[in-house]
Amino acid sequence: MTLDLLLFLLRLLSAALLLAFLGAIAWLIYQDLRVTARAVARQAQVQGYLLVVASDVDVPPVGTRLPLLPVTSIGRSPRNTVVLNNEYASGEHALLTWRGSQWWLEDLGSRNGTLLNEMALAETAVVSPGDIISIGGTQFKLEL
């Protein structure tokens, strides 16, 4: 085997290794995009509902089912997922998050507080289907 033939074979081998490396990188990027697309689709799905069971204001009306996303903010500000037209609700009053196959309720430092089943919420708590969340004069029931 001559030196020219050996160099040529080494060039072919290095080109094949480079192509294999680039192919592996492309495959990993494709797999990552698929996983990310599934995660984004899951986040956009409705995870449950808040049913308005009592309210001292007209918006939202009693009987309204409000969809819950994995992170649902509740308050008077229009930036929230669930907007309350209630003077006793803070701009950003409470946060409902889906973590570890459970709903968690957190009061965001509101002046009037958040009640879970008629008890003041002192720290983040797990919310189960059928629990009543009271914010201002509005009461919600969690439905899945």
Side-chain angles (χ1 to χ4, degrees), residues 50 60 66-85 89-98 103-108 114 133 135 140:
L50 281 179
L66 304 165
L68 290 175
L69 298 176
V71 176
T72 301
S73 59
I74 305 169
R76 200 172 56 226
S77 170
R79 295 180 303 229
N80 291 301
T81 311
V82 176
V83 179
L84 299 177
N85 185 18
S90 298
E92 294 171 352
H93 196 99
L95 189 66
L96 264 171
T97 54
W98 179 257
W103 282 106
W104 292 80
L105 178 63
E106 175 184 4
D107 184 80
L108 298 176
T114 302
I133 300 167
I135 297 174
F140 302 98

Side-chain angles (χ1 to χ4, degrees), residues 23-83:
I25 295 294
W27 183 79
L28 288 172
I29 290 172
Y30 171 73
Q31 293 297 324
D32 186 53
L33 286 174
R34 284 183 51 204
V35 168
T36 303
R38 275 191 234 125
V40 167
R42 257 190 320 242
Q43 284 185 344
Q45 291 177 343
V46 173
Q47 300 286 330
Y49 295 92
L50 281 179
L51 175 66
V52 180
V53 293
S55 182
D56 59 357
V57 293
D58 294 337
V59 178
V62 174
T64 303
R65 291 179 72 203
L66 304 165
L68 290 175
L69 298 176
V71 176
T72 301
S73 59
I74 305 169
R76 200 172 56 226
S77 170
R79 295 180 303 229
N80 291 301
T81 311
V82 176
V83 179

Side-chain angles (χ1 to χ4, degrees), residues 77-144:
S77 170
R79 295 180 303 229
N80 291 301
T81 311
V82 176
V83 179
L84 299 177
N85 185 18
N86 189 320
E87 65 186 45
Y88 296 108
S90 298
E92 294 171 352
H93 196 99
L95 189 66
L96 264 171
T97 54
W98 179 257
R99 289 183 275 168
S101 71
Q102 293 179 322
W103 282 106
W104 292 80
L105 178 63
E106 175 184 4
D107 184 80
L108 298 176
S110 63
R111 282 186 289 147
N112 296 317
T114 302
L115 302 178
L116 178 60
N117 295 325
E118 304 291 327
M119 296 186 65
L121 193 63
E123 58 186 31
T124 304
V126 174
V127 183
S128 301
D131 283 351
I132 302 294
I133 300 167
S134 300
I135 297 174
T138 306
Q139 292 183 340
F140 302 98
K141 181 167 85 170
L142 180 68
E143 294 182 338
L144 297 182

